[in-house]
Amino acid sequence: MLPCHQSRLRLGRGIAQSPACAKPRTDLRPWAKAAIKTRADLRGKRIGFTAGTGSEVYTATLLKSAGLTAKDVTLVNLRPQEMLPALAAGSIDAIDTWEPHIANAKKALGEAVAELDTSGTYSETFNIVVMRPYLDANPALIEQFIATLIDAEVWMKAHPDDAITVVADAVGMKRDELATIWTDYVYRVRLDDRLVEILKTHSAWRLESGNHPPGAVMPDFSKVVVSEPLNKIAPERVTLSWK
């Protein structure tokens, strides 16, 4: 699995995209000093983010939703592990990052920080990305892989406690910390219009930022997102408007 933003503008060069297999609702989340109550309060503040990742895309989307631009704030490019010390030291006012760094900040700073309510602002998917020749040469293998993902989804929902233990061990995260954020993620293999919206958001960011190969343009995702394997196995999971 690859996060979709890592290959976004190469999709027109023989890369095929199959179903999204996990959809975090709030994988990237802004935490700020308690005095910052709303996203509009970010005006004039120093925001820690990680350039070239979903954190940068989310930060731009968040600012836009508040009627702000990068000129209205001070953006500070930090690695995720650098954000908590910077927030604690007062060199930044807010952070936009992912777990476990969010949980670490909450644990270390307590009531001195709070999560901003950004519901509906942004989602990030995790997608299956393969080269088109590989997809064409291995249709049965791709279908078997997707069917296995669906089996895993069903098992995770039926056995959440066991699933948390397995995932915590796999990613090297403390089980208790993972358990507190487990429901922030939507575990479902699917292809829907929301996925396409997210792909377009990331593509637009790369085009606007100049972070793309020469001559890149917005891809036609109807020619990139491949629905046939999932549609063959579980058609109810494909709700793309163009199908």
Tab-separated table of all heavy atoms in Angstrom, residues 83-125:
chain	number	residue	atom	x	y	z
A	83	MET	N	8.160	18.387	16.465
A	83	MET	CA	7.043	19.295	16.720
A	83	MET	C	6.709	19.452	18.198
A	83	MET	O	6.439	20.554	18.669
A	83	MET	CB	5.814	18.839	15.925
A	83	MET	CG	5.984	18.995	14.437
A	83	MET	SD	4.447	18.713	13.552
A	83	MET	CE	5.010	18.895	11.855
A	84	LEU	N	6.700	18.358	18.944
A	84	LEU	CA	6.388	18.437	20.369
A	84	LEU	C	7.380	19.319	21.112
A	84	LEU	O	6.961	20.220	21.857
A	84	LEU	CB	6.328	17.038	20.982
A	84	LEU	CG	6.213	16.971	22.518
A	84	LEU	CD1	5.012	17.783	22.999
A	84	LEU	CD2	6.100	15.522	22.978
A	85	PRO	N	8.702	19.122	20.944
A	85	PRO	CA	9.639	20.023	21.632
A	85	PRO	C	9.443	21.488	21.242
A	85	PRO	O	9.539	22.379	22.095
A	85	PRO	CB	11.011	19.505	21.177
A	85	PRO	CG	10.787	18.070	20.839
A	85	PRO	CD	9.407	18.031	20.243
A	86	ALA	N	9.157	21.735	19.957
A	86	ALA	CA	8.972	23.120	19.507
A	86	ALA	C	7.712	23.730	20.113
A	86	ALA	O	7.703	24.898	20.524
A	86	ALA	CB	8.904	23.163	17.985
A	87	LEU	N	6.649	22.947	20.185
A	87	LEU	CA	5.396	23.439	20.771
A	87	LEU	C	5.579	23.685	22.261
A	87	LEU	O	5.118	24.695	22.802
A	87	LEU	CB	4.277	22.432	20.525
A	87	LEU	CG	2.845	22.869	20.850
A	87	LEU	CD1	2.449	24.081	20.006
A	87	LEU	CD2	1.874	21.726	20.593
A	88	ALA	N	6.265	22.762	22.920
A	88	ALA	CA	6.501	22.901	24.360
A	88	ALA	C	7.381	24.110	24.672
A	88	ALA	O	7.189	24.791	25.682
A	88	ALA	CB	7.130	21.622	24.904
A	89	ALA	N	8.351	24.383	23.786
A	89	ALA	CA	9.280	25.502	24.012
A	89	ALA	C	8.666	26.843	23.641
A	89	ALA	O	9.219	27.893	23.969
A	89	ALA	CB	10.554	25.272	23.201
A	90	GLY	N	7.519	26.815	22.939
A	90	GLY	CA	6.863	28.058	22.567
A	90	GLY	C	7.366	28.664	21.269
A	90	GLY	O	7.017	29.798	20.935
A	91	SER	N	8.170	27.914	20.510
A	91	SER	CA	8.677	28.451	19.243
A	91	SER	C	7.659	28.321	18.115
A	91	SER	O	7.824	28.930	17.058
A	91	SER	CB	9.991	27.756	18.856
A	91	SER	OG	9.821	26.357	18.767
A	92	ILE	N	6.608	27.509	18.328
A	92	ILE	CA	5.481	27.447	17.404
A	92	ILE	C	4.197	27.442	18.230
A	92	ILE	O	4.217	27.158	19.432
A	92	ILE	CB	5.528	26.202	16.480
A	92	ILE	CG1	5.576	24.911	17.305
A	92	ILE	CG2	6.694	26.287	15.517
A	92	ILE	CD1	5.523	23.650	16.469
A	93	ASP	N	3.084	27.751	17.575
A	93	ASP	CA	1.807	27.857	18.272
A	93	ASP	C	0.871	26.693	17.989
A	93	ASP	O	-0.091	26.474	18.734
A	93	ASP	CB	1.098	29.159	17.867
A	93	ASP	CG	1.962	30.379	18.125
A	93	ASP	OD1	2.319	30.619	19.295
A	93	ASP	OD2	2.289	31.077	17.152
A	94	ALA	N	1.113	25.974	16.901
A	94	ALA	CA	0.239	24.871	16.514
A	94	ALA	C	1.030	23.876	15.684
A	94	ALA	O	2.057	24.224	15.084
A	94	ALA	CB	-0.960	25.384	15.714
A	95	ILE	N	0.563	22.633	15.658
A	95	ILE	CA	1.207	21.604	14.849
A	95	ILE	C	0.154	20.883	14.021
A	95	ILE	O	-0.997	20.769	14.420
A	95	ILE	CB	1.970	20.578	15.718
A	95	ILE	CG1	1.015	19.828	16.658
A	95	ILE	CG2	3.080	21.255	16.501
A	95	ILE	CD1	1.678	18.698	17.434
A	96	ASP	N	0.592	20.416	12.879
A	96	ASP	CA	-0.267	19.623	12.001
A	96	ASP	C	0.510	18.369	11.655
A	96	ASP	O	1.410	18.387	10.816
A	96	ASP	CB	-0.602	20.427	10.735
A	96	ASP	CG	-1.537	19.662	9.810
A	96	ASP	OD1	-1.965	18.559	10.191
A	96	ASP	OD2	-1.823	20.172	8.718
A	97	THR	N	0.188	17.259	12.319
A	97	THR	CA	0.987	16.056	12.152
A	97	THR	C	0.115	14.823	12.341
A	97	THR	O	-1.109	14.903	12.307
A	97	THR	CB	2.183	16.056	13.128
A	97	THR	OG1	3.074	14.986	12.795
A	97	THR	CG2	1.734	15.938	14.573
A	98	TRP	N	0.733	13.673	12.507
A	98	TRP	CA	0.005	12.406	12.587
A	98	TRP	C	0.438	11.623	13.812
A	98	TRP	O	1.350	12.017	14.555
A	98	TRP	CB	0.242	11.599	11.303
A	98	TRP	CG	1.688	11.443	10.924
A	98	TRP	CD1	2.586	10.546	11.437
A	98	TRP	CD2	2.420	12.229	9.965
A	98	TRP	NE1	3.813	10.714	10.851
A	98	TRP	CE2	3.745	11.725	9.945
A	98	TRP	CE3	2.066	13.279	9.123
A	98	TRP	CZ2	4.732	12.266	9.104
A	98	TRP	CZ3	3.053	13.805	8.287
A	98	TRP	CH2	4.359	13.303	8.288
A	99	GLU	N	-0.236	10.509	14.024
A	99	GLU	CA	0.082	9.649	15.155
A	99	GLU	C	1.401	8.898	14.916
A	99	GLU	O	1.750	8.623	13.779
A	99	GLU	CB	-1.042	8.629	15.387
A	99	GLU	CG	-2.376	9.238	15.746
A	99	GLU	CD	-2.399	9.902	17.114
A	99	GLU	OE1	-1.380	9.850	17.830
A	99	GLU	OE2	-3.429	10.476	17.465
A	100	PRO	N	2.144	8.591	16.002
A	100	PRO	CA	1.801	8.777	17.421
A	100	PRO	C	2.175	10.137	17.984
A	100	PRO	O	2.091	10.353	19.184
A	100	PRO	CB	2.628	7.682	18.096
A	100	PRO	CG	3.876	7.619	17.268
A	100	PRO	CD	3.409	7.827	15.839
A	101	HIS	N	2.599	11.063	17.127
A	101	HIS	CA	3.078	12.354	17.606
A	101	HIS	C	1.959	13.190	18.218
A	101	HIS	O	2.196	13.987	19.128
A	101	HIS	CB	3.754	13.098	16.447
A	101	HIS	CG	4.786	12.269	15.751
A	101	HIS	ND1	5.996	11.963	16.333
A	101	HIS	CD2	4.758	11.628	14.550
A	101	HIS	CE1	6.687	11.194	15.507
A	101	HIS	NE2	5.962	10.979	14.423
A	102	ILE	N	0.733	12.988	17.720
A	102	ILE	CA	-0.409	13.686	18.307
A	102	ILE	C	-0.636	13.219	19.735
A	102	ILE	O	-0.791	14.019	20.664
A	102	ILE	CB	-1.667	13.459	17.454
A	102	ILE	CG1	-1.484	14.057	16.062
A	102	ILE	CG2	-2.898	14.057	18.126
A	102	ILE	CD1	-2.543	13.640	15.077
A	103	ALA	N	-0.668	11.885	19.915
A	103	ALA	CA	-0.879	11.330	21.249
A	103	ALA	C	0.243	11.751	22.196
A	103	ALA	O	-0.001	12.036	23.379
A	103	ALA	CB	-0.965	9.807	21.165
A	104	ASN	N	1.475	11.807	21.698
A	104	ASN	CA	2.606	12.211	22.533
A	104	ASN	C	2.454	13.657	22.994
A	104	ASN	O	2.746	13.988	24.158
A	104	ASN	CB	3.911	12.047	21.759
A	104	ASN	CG	4.246	10.596	21.482
A	104	ASN	OD1	3.736	9.695	22.150
A	104	ASN	ND2	5.095	10.353	20.497
A	105	ALA	N	1.984	14.521	22.091
A	105	ALA	CA	1.794	15.926	22.458
A	105	ALA	C	0.703	16.068	23.505
A	105	ALA	O	0.836	16.823	24.477
A	105	ALA	CB	1.451	16.748	21.209
A	106	LYS	N	-0.377	15.343	23.315
A	106	LYS	CA	-1.487	15.404	24.272
A	106	LYS	C	-1.051	14.927	25.641
A	106	LYS	O	-1.384	15.522	26.672
A	106	LYS	CB	-2.652	14.565	23.763
A	106	LYS	CG	-3.888	14.620	24.640
A	106	LYS	CD	-5.017	13.803	24.037
A	106	LYS	CE	-6.270	13.866	24.908
A	106	LYS	NZ	-7.385	13.074	24.326
A	107	LYS	N	-0.271	13.845	25.662
A	107	LYS	CA	0.181	13.279	26.934
A	107	LYS	C	1.161	14.226	27.633
A	107	LYS	O	1.101	14.414	28.853
A	107	LYS	CB	0.848	11.931	26.679
A	107	LYS	CG	1.323	11.237	27.952
A	107	LYS	CD	2.086	9.956	27.628
A	107	LYS	CE	1.194	8.957	26.929
A	107	LYS	NZ	1.898	7.664	26.671
A	108	ALA	N	2.061	14.834	26.879
A	108	ALA	CA	3.105	15.663	27.478
A	108	ALA	C	2.598	17.037	27.908
A	108	ALA	O	3.015	17.563	28.940
A	108	ALA	CB	4.261	15.824	26.490
A	109	LEU	N	1.690	17.617	27.118
A	109	LEU	CA	1.283	18.994	27.367
A	109	LEU	C	-0.091	19.128	28.012
A	109	LEU	O	-0.442	20.197	28.508
A	109	LEU	CB	1.326	19.788	26.063
A	109	LEU	CG	2.704	19.835	25.379
A	109	LEU	CD1	2.623	20.608	24.070
A	109	LEU	CD2	3.749	20.440	26.296
A	110	GLY	N	-0.868	18.059	27.996
A	110	GLY	CA	-2.149	18.063	28.695
A	110	GLY	C	-3.076	19.180	28.266
A	110	GLY	O	-3.293	19.419	27.080
A	111	GLU	N	-3.599	19.916	29.245
A	111	GLU	CA	-4.584	20.959	28.968
A	111	GLU	C	-3.980	22.217	28.355
A	111	GLU	O	-4.713	23.138	27.992
A	111	GLU	CB	-5.318	21.319	30.256
A	111	GLU	CG	-6.162	20.175	30.820
A	111	GLU	CD	-6.923	20.584	32.064
A	111	GLU	OE1	-6.748	21.744	32.501
A	111	GLU	OE2	-7.695	19.754	32.588
A	112	ALA	N	-2.660	22.238	28.207
A	112	ALA	CA	-2.020	23.400	27.578
A	112	ALA	C	-2.256	23.431	26.079
A	112	ALA	O	-2.058	24.464	25.427
A	112	ALA	CB	-0.520	23.402	27.859
A	113	VAL	N	-2.693	22.290	25.524
A	113	VAL	CA	-2.993	22.223	24.094
A	113	VAL	C	-4.368	21.607	23.887
A	113	VAL	O	-4.906	20.963	24.789
A	113	VAL	CB	-1.937	21.390	23.329
A	113	VAL	CG1	-0.574	22.049	23.393
A	113	VAL	CG2	-1.876	19.964	23.872
A	114	ALA	N	-4.919	21.819	22.709
A	114	ALA	CA	-6.225	21.258	22.389
A	114	ALA	C	-6.289	20.980	20.890
A	114	ALA	O	-5.612	21.636	20.093
A	114	ALA	CB	-7.343	22.203	22.800
A	115	GLU	N	-7.119	20.021	20.516
A	115	GLU	CA	-7.303	19.706	19.103
A	115	GLU	C	-8.350	20.634	18.509
A	115	GLU	O	-9.429	20.812	19.072
A	115	GLU	CB	-7.748	18.259	18.937
A	115	GLU	CG	-7.920	17.846	17.482
A	115	GLU	CD	-8.329	16.391	17.334
A	115	GLU	OE1	-8.481	15.705	18.362
A	115	GLU	OE2	-8.489	15.957	16.181
A	116	LEU	N	-8.018	21.234	17.376
A	116	LEU	CA	-8.988	22.076	16.691
A	116	LEU	C	-10.033	21.212	15.997
A	116	LEU	O	-9.720	20.153	15.462
A	116	LEU	CB	-8.286	22.949	15.646
A	116	LEU	CG	-7.326	24.024	16.157
A	116	LEU	CD1	-6.754	24.802	14.974
A	116	LEU	CD2	-8.030	24.976	17.103
A	117	ASP	N	-11.257	21.660	15.999
A	117	ASP	CA	-12.320	20.943	15.310
A	117	ASP	C	-12.237	21.265	13.821
A	117	ASP	O	-12.545	22.374	13.388
A	117	ASP	CB	-13.686	21.359	15.862
A	117	ASP	CG	-14.839	20.622	15.193
A	117	ASP	OD1	-14.560	19.694	14.396
A	117	ASP	OD2	-15.990	20.964	15.466
A	118	THR	N	-11.808	20.288	13.057
A	118	THR	CA	-11.685	20.479	11.611
A	118	THR	C	-12.484	19.407	10.869
A	118	THR	O	-12.110	18.989	9.777
A	118	THR	CB	-10.211	20.422	11.182
A	118	THR	OG1	-9.657	19.149	11.584
A	118	THR	CG2	-9.421	21.536	11.823
A	119	SER	N	-13.563	18.975	11.458
A	119	SER	CA	-14.377	17.916	10.863
A	119	SER	C	-14.770	18.266	9.430
A	119	SER	O	-15.217	19.379	9.155
A	119	SER	CB	-15.646	17.696	11.693
A	119	SER	OG	-15.327	17.357	13.023
A	120	GLY	N	-14.590	17.310	8.537
A	120	GLY	CA	-14.979	17.499	7.147
A	120	GLY	C	-13.989	18.266	6.305
A	120	GLY	O	-14.197	18.449	5.106
A	121	THR	N	-12.888	18.716	6.905
A	121	THR	CA	-11.919	19.515	6.156
A	121	THR	C	-11.093	18.664	5.204
A	121	THR	O	-10.824	19.059	4.064
A	121	THR	CB	-10.971	20.255	7.126
A	121	THR	OG1	-11.738	21.104	7.969
A	121	THR	CG2	-9.956	21.090	6.360
A	122	TYR	N	-10.712	17.481	5.658
A	122	TYR	CA	-9.749	16.701	4.877
A	122	TYR	C	-9.807	15.244	5.297
A	122	TYR	O	-10.035	14.932	6.466
A	122	TYR	CB	-8.345	17.262	5.131
A	122	TYR	CG	-7.210	16.539	4.447
A	122	TYR	CD1	-6.883	16.825	3.126
A	122	TYR	CD2	-6.457	15.592	5.123
A	122	TYR	CE1	-5.834	16.182	2.502
A	122	TYR	CE2	-5.402	14.939	4.507
A	122	TYR	CZ	-5.089	15.247	3.190
A	122	TYR	OH	-4.049	14.604	2.584
A	123	SER	N	-9.593	14.354	4.351
A	123	SER	CA	-9.411	12.932	4.633
A	123	SER	C	-8.229	12.451	3.824
A	123	SER	O	-7.891	13.030	2.789
A	123	SER	CB	-10.655	12.119	4.241
A	123	SER	OG	-11.764	12.454	5.026
A	124	GLU	N	-7.621	11.406	4.274
A	124	GLU	CA	-6.494	10.825	3.550
A	124	GLU	C	-6.726	9.332	3.399
A	124	GLU	O	-7.105	8.663	4.358
A	124	GLU	CB	-5.177	11.083	4.275
A	124	GLU	CG	-3.964	10.659	3.468
A	124	GLU	CD	-2.675	11.147	4.097
A	124	GLU	OE1	-2.407	10.741	5.244
A	124	GLU	OE2	-1.941	11.927	3.466
A	125	THR	N	-6.529	8.830	2.198
A	125	THR	CA	-6.745	7.414	1.945
A	125	THR	C	-5.423	6.696	1.767
A	125	THR	O	-4.389	7.305	1.485
A	125	THR	CB	-7.585	7.210	0.672
A	125	THR	OG1	-6.909	7.812	-0.431
A	125	THR	CG2	-8.966	7.825	0.817
